[in-house]
Amino acid sequence: MSFATITSLVTAILCIAVLVQCARVMRSLAAFRAADLPGTARALDTATASAHHVLSELKNELDRGGEPTLRALAEARAIADELGVMIGIGNATADRLLDSARNSRASLGETLDQQDLAA
């Protein structure tokens, strides 16, 4: 195949694709013309008014409930910080107790070994 033949085939394929898209656009335009635009506008207006009403109610609810929620959240964070400190202290104490127990076992073991050697 020559270069001219390949370019002609590619051009033909692209032209077919353009024709298909044109047919789809023409069908969409025909459906748009046949649509009930005033009814659609009324439905859109009703939906917009309903959304505006819901948003205003949501804003009022957030204005009323936002302050106590923020206060409770701040208190919860303070309690979480205190609990973190308490857990740290508890972990440090547990580590010290474990070290003491290990040291006690080690010294008790040495004492028992010395008593066995003396006997």
Side-chain angles (χ1 to χ4, degrees):
M1 273 196 200
S2 69
F3 180 72
T5 306
I6 293 173
T7 56
S8 295
L9 285 174
V10 169
T11 304
I13 291 170
L14 291 175
C15 286
I16 291 171
V18 166
L19 288 174
V20 168
Q21 288 298 328
C22 284
R24 290 179 65 201
V25 167
M26 291 300 289
R27 249 187 283 134
S28 296
L29 284 174
F32 184 72
R33 285 185 193 130
D36 179 26
L37 292 180
T40 304
R42 281 190 302 272
L44 184 60
D45 190 37
T46 303
T48 304
S50 176
H52 180 69
H53 178 69
V54 168
L55 286 175
S56 65
E57 285 181 5
L58 183 62
K59 182 182 175 201
N60 290 337
E61 187 63 33
L62 286 174
D63 286 342
R64 282 184 276 151
E67 181 79 22
T69 303
L70 289 176
R71 222 176 299 121
L73 182 62
E75 290 174 10
R77 283 189 180 145
I79 290 171
D81 291 341
E82 286 181 33
L83 286 174
V85 170
M86 291 171 68
I87 288 171
I89 291 169
N91 284 337
T93 304
D95 289 340
R96 279 191 235 126
L97 287 171
L98 284 173
D99 289 340
S100 296
R102 285 186 193 122
N103 291 337
S104 296
R105 283 187 188 154
S107 64
L108 182 61
E110 289 175 6
T111 305
L112 291 176
D113 288 339
Q114 289 174 0
Q115 288 176 356
D116 287 340
L117 290 176

